[in-house]
Amino acid sequence: MQLRSDGRARARYLLRRRALVASGLCAAALAAALASGLYAGPMLSKPRSVRISKGYGLLYLPLLVMEHERLFEQQAALHGLRGVKVDWVLLDGGNSVDDAMMAGTLDFAAAGAPGFIELWAQSRGIPNVEVIGISGLSTTSLALNTNRPQIASLGDFTRSDRIAVPGIRTSLSAVVLQMAASRLLGAENFARLDAITVNMPHPQAMRALIRDEGGITAHFTSPPFSMLELRHPNIHRVVNSIDILGPLTLDVVFAPKRMVDAEPALAAAFIGALSQANRLIEQDRQKAAAIYARVSGLDVSREDVMQMLAAPQMSFSVEPVQLMDYVEFLHRVGTIKTKPRTWNEMFWARSPGLSPA
């Protein structure tokens, strides 16, 4: 099956590339990373630059709050890490995030849960490339919106349609779309819509859908894009992921296992900062909404964000929910061969829900 072969080939390529760097064939790059403090102990002799990925959607609000309020820096100081500098990297789509993690250019990656699970399974037991989960991030719905009035269900899409997702086959949107197709069209038809998906960042996809450009007839996305699209009279909703699959944690945070083992204080600082950001969102929704409207780079107002945050399906938590639903699906269709017995196996032993951080 093309999905399985594509995933395995890509994973093998990424693992070989990272292994070459770690084994010394790219010794100069590795030496530079070590000299800059990469994988240093908790008491840093030089300022530590920590690289964290973020994304466009409201799913990443806790990270945008962390960045705006400098919460990671505060928590790092509380854990004895002085002079920590944070570099925030904007990436869209699990493919881009996984590539950056395998290339060694991220310390903490925020990405869709399926992409993390696939990378965890492919890298498990390989010391230089193994990744480990740190925390959950957000739970909300993904919505499939279309500009074609004749489309009322997944079964109505034809070969001439194009569904925009931020990464074909392996992104969060792509995998959840497969899970929805499996549930609504039959397990054997999970990949039925893969051939009409196209790779496009969410902001670009929203514009294409609204303007009916580039052949885009649908967009599978999260807030704010899923909400903003529906304000246009030519757009309507086909399916909502929560109605089909329930309240899955959509995004998680993971890190190189070697880094977490060597610098547990950094991982603890991250969880502390994320928890602090979640409390701010819960206790001061207006401030959180204003931060997102200001820094997201999207044409969205504080009032827009407030309305979206009030939706009952929107929640932020460091504890992941229903991750094994992804595991069971990915294992059944052959995307992963290694199957954890519980979600705990994929996460750091001090992650929320396992033991106190």
mmCIF file of all heavy atoms in Angstrom, residues 106-133:
data_model
loop_
_atom_site.group_PDB
_atom_site.id
_atom_site.type_symbol
_atom_site.label_atom_id
_atom_site.label_comp_id
_atom_site.label_asym_id
_atom_site.label_seq_id
_atom_site.Cartn_x
_atom_site.Cartn_y
_atom_site.Cartn_z
ATOM 1 N N LEU A 106 15.602 21.390 16.515
ATOM 2 C CA LEU A 106 14.584 21.701 17.513
ATOM 3 C C LEU A 106 14.891 20.988 18.817
ATOM 4 O O LEU A 106 15.395 19.863 18.818
ATOM 5 C CB LEU A 106 13.193 21.275 17.034
ATOM 6 C CG LEU A 106 12.530 22.072 15.912
ATOM 7 C CD1 LEU A 106 11.205 21.421 15.537
ATOM 8 C CD2 LEU A 106 12.319 23.524 16.317
ATOM 9 N N ASP A 107 14.573 21.651 19.936
ATOM 10 C CA ASP A 107 14.659 21.019 21.250
ATOM 11 C C ASP A 107 13.285 20.578 21.738
ATOM 12 O O ASP A 107 13.157 19.540 22.390
ATOM 13 C CB ASP A 107 15.278 21.987 22.266
ATOM 14 C CG ASP A 107 16.705 22.355 21.909
ATOM 15 O OD1 ASP A 107 17.543 21.429 21.826
ATOM 16 O OD2 ASP A 107 16.989 23.552 21.684
ATOM 17 N N PHE A 108 12.260 21.377 21.450
ATOM 18 C CA PHE A 108 10.882 21.018 21.771
ATOM 19 C C PHE A 108 10.036 21.269 20.524
ATOM 20 O O PHE A 108 10.091 22.353 19.944
ATOM 21 C CB PHE A 108 10.341 21.846 22.944
ATOM 22 C CG PHE A 108 11.042 21.599 24.245
ATOM 23 C CD1 PHE A 108 12.075 22.434 24.659
ATOM 24 C CD2 PHE A 108 10.697 20.524 25.045
ATOM 25 C CE1 PHE A 108 12.733 22.217 25.854
ATOM 26 C CE2 PHE A 108 11.354 20.290 26.246
ATOM 27 C CZ PHE A 108 12.376 21.133 26.654
ATOM 28 N N ALA A 109 9.271 20.261 20.129
ATOM 29 C CA ALA A 109 8.472 20.372 18.915
ATOM 30 C C ALA A 109 6.995 20.246 19.262
ATOM 31 O O ALA A 109 6.591 19.314 19.976
ATOM 32 C CB ALA A 109 8.862 19.283 17.916
ATOM 33 N N ALA A 110 6.187 21.169 18.767
ATOM 34 C CA ALA A 110 4.735 21.092 18.897
ATOM 35 C C ALA A 110 4.179 20.648 17.558
ATOM 36 O O ALA A 110 4.413 21.294 16.541
ATOM 37 C CB ALA A 110 4.163 22.447 19.290
ATOM 38 N N ALA A 111 3.466 19.528 17.556
ATOM 39 C CA ALA A 111 2.986 18.978 16.289
ATOM 40 C C ALA A 111 1.783 18.101 16.547
ATOM 41 O O ALA A 111 1.455 17.758 17.696
ATOM 42 C CB ALA A 111 4.088 18.179 15.601
ATOM 43 N N GLY A 112 1.134 17.710 15.456
ATOM 44 C CA GLY A 112 0.001 16.815 15.572
ATOM 45 C C GLY A 112 0.397 15.496 16.209
ATOM 46 O O GLY A 112 1.492 14.970 15.979
ATOM 47 N N ALA A 113 -0.502 14.950 17.014
ATOM 48 C CA ALA A 113 -0.219 13.697 17.714
ATOM 49 C C ALA A 113 0.160 12.559 16.772
ATOM 50 O O ALA A 113 1.079 11.784 17.079
ATOM 51 C CB ALA A 113 -1.419 13.309 18.577
ATOM 52 N N PRO A 114 -0.490 12.398 15.600
ATOM 53 C CA PRO A 114 -0.099 11.277 14.724
ATOM 54 C C PRO A 114 1.348 11.359 14.253
ATOM 55 O O PRO A 114 2.037 10.331 14.191
ATOM 56 C CB PRO A 114 -1.067 11.404 13.544
ATOM 57 C CG PRO A 114 -2.239 12.152 14.074
ATOM 58 C CD PRO A 114 -1.672 13.116 15.074
ATOM 59 N N GLY A 115 1.820 12.564 13.911
ATOM 60 C CA GLY A 115 3.196 12.708 13.471
ATOM 61 C C GLY A 115 4.189 12.327 14.552
ATOM 62 O O GLY A 115 5.212 11.682 14.291
ATOM 63 N N PHE A 116 3.875 12.726 15.799
ATOM 64 C CA PHE A 116 4.746 12.345 16.914
ATOM 65 C C PHE A 116 4.744 10.838 17.100
ATOM 66 O O PHE A 116 5.812 10.218 17.279
ATOM 67 C CB PHE A 116 4.290 13.028 18.204
ATOM 68 C CG PHE A 116 4.750 12.307 19.444
ATOM 69 C CD1 PHE A 116 6.084 12.226 19.758
ATOM 70 C CD2 PHE A 116 3.829 11.661 20.272
ATOM 71 C CE1 PHE A 116 6.530 11.528 20.892
ATOM 72 C CE2 PHE A 116 4.241 10.973 21.393
ATOM 73 C CZ PHE A 116 5.595 10.902 21.710
ATOM 74 N N ILE A 117 3.578 10.217 17.071
ATOM 75 C CA ILE A 117 3.485 8.772 17.295
ATOM 76 C C ILE A 117 4.273 8.014 16.234
ATOM 77 O O ILE A 117 5.001 7.055 16.544
ATOM 78 C CB ILE A 117 2.011 8.332 17.311
ATOM 79 C CG1 ILE A 117 1.303 8.921 18.539
ATOM 80 C CG2 ILE A 117 1.895 6.810 17.304
ATOM 81 C CD1 ILE A 117 -0.205 8.799 18.502
ATOM 82 N N GLU A 118 4.166 8.435 14.980
ATOM 83 C CA GLU A 118 4.911 7.769 13.912
ATOM 84 C C GLU A 118 6.411 7.928 14.114
ATOM 85 O O GLU A 118 7.182 6.963 13.973
ATOM 86 C CB GLU A 118 4.503 8.334 12.554
ATOM 87 C CG GLU A 118 5.208 7.654 11.391
ATOM 88 C CD GLU A 118 4.786 8.201 10.040
ATOM 89 O OE1 GLU A 118 3.863 9.031 10.001
ATOM 90 O OE2 GLU A 118 5.395 7.800 9.030
ATOM 91 N N LEU A 119 6.841 9.130 14.482
ATOM 92 C CA LEU A 119 8.264 9.362 14.685
ATOM 93 C C LEU A 119 8.771 8.581 15.894
ATOM 94 O O LEU A 119 9.874 8.024 15.865
ATOM 95 C CB LEU A 119 8.522 10.859 14.864
ATOM 96 C CG LEU A 119 9.978 11.317 14.802
ATOM 97 C CD1 LEU A 119 10.624 10.917 13.488
ATOM 98 C CD2 LEU A 119 10.066 12.822 15.006
ATOM 99 N N TRP A 120 7.973 8.535 16.962
ATOM 100 C CA TRP A 120 8.355 7.756 18.149
ATOM 101 C C TRP A 120 8.545 6.284 17.779
ATOM 102 O O TRP A 120 9.539 5.654 18.181
ATOM 103 C CB TRP A 120 7.280 7.895 19.225
ATOM 104 C CG TRP A 120 7.532 7.040 20.426
ATOM 105 C CD1 TRP A 120 8.288 7.347 21.525
ATOM 106 C CD2 TRP A 120 7.060 5.698 20.645
ATOM 107 N NE1 TRP A 120 8.312 6.289 22.401
ATOM 108 C CE2 TRP A 120 7.564 5.259 21.884
ATOM 109 C CE3 TRP A 120 6.254 4.834 19.900
ATOM 110 C CZ2 TRP A 120 7.278 3.997 22.406
ATOM 111 C CZ3 TRP A 120 5.975 3.563 20.415
ATOM 112 C CH2 TRP A 120 6.487 3.156 21.648
ATOM 113 N N ALA A 121 7.605 5.740 17.023
ATOM 114 C CA ALA A 121 7.681 4.328 16.666
ATOM 115 C C ALA A 121 8.886 4.032 15.783
ATOM 116 O O ALA A 121 9.555 3.005 15.948
ATOM 117 C CB ALA A 121 6.389 3.912 15.955
ATOM 118 N N GLN A 122 9.197 4.929 14.839
ATOM 119 C CA GLN A 122 10.293 4.696 13.908
ATOM 120 C C GLN A 122 11.661 4.884 14.572
ATOM 121 O O GLN A 122 12.640 4.247 14.168
ATOM 122 C CB GLN A 122 10.174 5.640 12.706
ATOM 123 C CG GLN A 122 8.908 5.442 11.874
ATOM 124 C CD GLN A 122 8.909 4.162 11.062
ATOM 125 O OE1 GLN A 122 9.889 3.438 11.037
ATOM 126 N NE2 GLN A 122 7.792 3.886 10.402
ATOM 127 N N SER A 123 11.731 5.758 15.568
ATOM 128 C CA SER A 123 13.037 6.079 16.163
ATOM 129 C C SER A 123 13.294 5.339 17.473
ATOM 130 O O SER A 123 14.399 5.435 18.016
ATOM 131 C CB SER A 123 13.130 7.585 16.423
ATOM 132 O OG SER A 123 12.201 7.989 17.425
ATOM 133 N N ARG A 124 12.340 4.599 17.959
ATOM 134 C CA ARG A 124 12.477 3.965 19.276
ATOM 135 C C ARG A 124 13.698 3.045 19.313
ATOM 136 O O ARG A 124 13.915 2.224 18.424
ATOM 137 C CB ARG A 124 11.220 3.158 19.598
ATOM 138 C CG ARG A 124 11.174 2.655 21.029
ATOM 139 C CD ARG A 124 9.928 1.835 21.278
ATOM 140 N NE ARG A 124 9.801 1.502 22.693
ATOM 141 C CZ ARG A 124 8.943 0.612 23.180
ATOM 142 N NH1 ARG A 124 8.121 -0.022 22.352
ATOM 143 N NH2 ARG A 124 8.884 0.376 24.469
ATOM 144 N N GLY A 125 14.493 3.224 20.376
ATOM 145 C CA GLY A 125 15.656 2.379 20.572
ATOM 146 C C GLY A 125 16.890 2.807 19.817
ATOM 147 O O GLY A 125 17.931 2.149 19.922
ATOM 148 N N ILE A 126 16.808 3.905 19.057
ATOM 149 C CA ILE A 126 17.975 4.419 18.329
ATOM 150 C C ILE A 126 18.466 5.650 19.095
ATOM 151 O O ILE A 126 17.871 6.726 18.991
ATOM 152 C CB ILE A 126 17.622 4.782 16.879
ATOM 153 C CG1 ILE A 126 16.960 3.593 16.181
ATOM 154 C CG2 ILE A 126 18.872 5.226 16.118
ATOM 155 C CD1 ILE A 126 16.479 3.892 14.781
ATOM 156 N N PRO A 127 19.526 5.540 19.882
ATOM 157 C CA PRO A 127 19.877 6.585 20.856
ATOM 158 C C PRO A 127 19.995 7.984 20.286
ATOM 159 O O PRO A 127 19.574 8.950 20.914
ATOM 160 C CB PRO A 127 21.222 6.095 21.420
ATOM 161 C CG PRO A 127 21.191 4.612 21.231
ATOM 162 C CD PRO A 127 20.451 4.390 19.950
ATOM 163 N N ASN A 128 20.586 8.136 19.127
ATOM 164 C CA ASN A 128 20.850 9.476 18.617
ATOM 165 C C ASN A 128 19.634 10.157 17.994
ATOM 166 O O ASN A 128 19.687 11.351 17.680
ATOM 167 C CB ASN A 128 21.979 9.429 17.578
ATOM 168 C CG ASN A 128 23.312 9.100 18.217
ATOM 169 O OD1 ASN A 128 23.572 9.481 19.339
ATOM 170 N ND2 ASN A 128 24.138 8.379 17.487
ATOM 171 N N VAL A 129 18.564 9.405 17.760
ATOM 172 C CA VAL A 129 17.403 9.993 17.094
ATOM 173 C C VAL A 129 16.099 9.801 17.863
ATOM 174 O O VAL A 129 15.074 10.357 17.497
ATOM 175 C CB VAL A 129 17.233 9.409 15.674
ATOM 176 C CG1 VAL A 129 18.431 9.740 14.808
ATOM 177 C CG2 VAL A 129 16.983 7.906 15.721
ATOM 178 N N GLU A 130 16.113 9.030 18.927
ATOM 179 C CA GLU A 130 14.884 8.707 19.651
ATOM 180 C C GLU A 130 14.223 9.962 20.219
ATOM 181 O O GLU A 130 14.892 10.859 20.713
ATOM 182 C CB GLU A 130 15.198 7.726 20.778
ATOM 183 C CG GLU A 130 13.977 7.119 21.428
ATOM 184 C CD GLU A 130 14.328 5.974 22.352
ATOM 185 O OE1 GLU A 130 15.534 5.705 22.549
ATOM 186 O OE2 GLU A 130 13.390 5.343 22.885
ATOM 187 N N VAL A 131 12.895 10.012 20.129
ATOM 188 C CA VAL A 131 12.133 11.136 20.672
ATOM 189 C C VAL A 131 11.243 10.643 21.796
ATOM 190 O O VAL A 131 10.934 9.455 21.905
ATOM 191 C CB VAL A 131 11.284 11.830 19.593
ATOM 192 C CG1 VAL A 131 12.166 12.448 18.515
ATOM 193 C CG2 VAL A 131 10.270 10.871 18.984
ATOM 194 N N ILE A 132 10.814 11.590 22.642
ATOM 195 C CA ILE A 132 9.970 11.264 23.792
ATOM 196 C C ILE A 132 8.924 12.353 23.967
ATOM 197 O O ILE A 132 9.212 13.537 23.768
ATOM 198 C CB ILE A 132 10.832 11.120 25.080
ATOM 199 C CG1 ILE A 132 10.039 10.481 26.212
ATOM 200 C CG2 ILE A 132 11.421 12.439 25.501
ATOM 201 C CD1 ILE A 132 9.848 8.994 26.038
ATOM 202 N N GLY A 133 7.711 11.970 24.304
ATOM 203 C CA GLY A 133 6.651 12.935 24.536
ATOM 204 C C GLY A 133 6.877 13.717 25.818
ATOM 205 O O GLY A 133 7.368 13.173 26.816
#
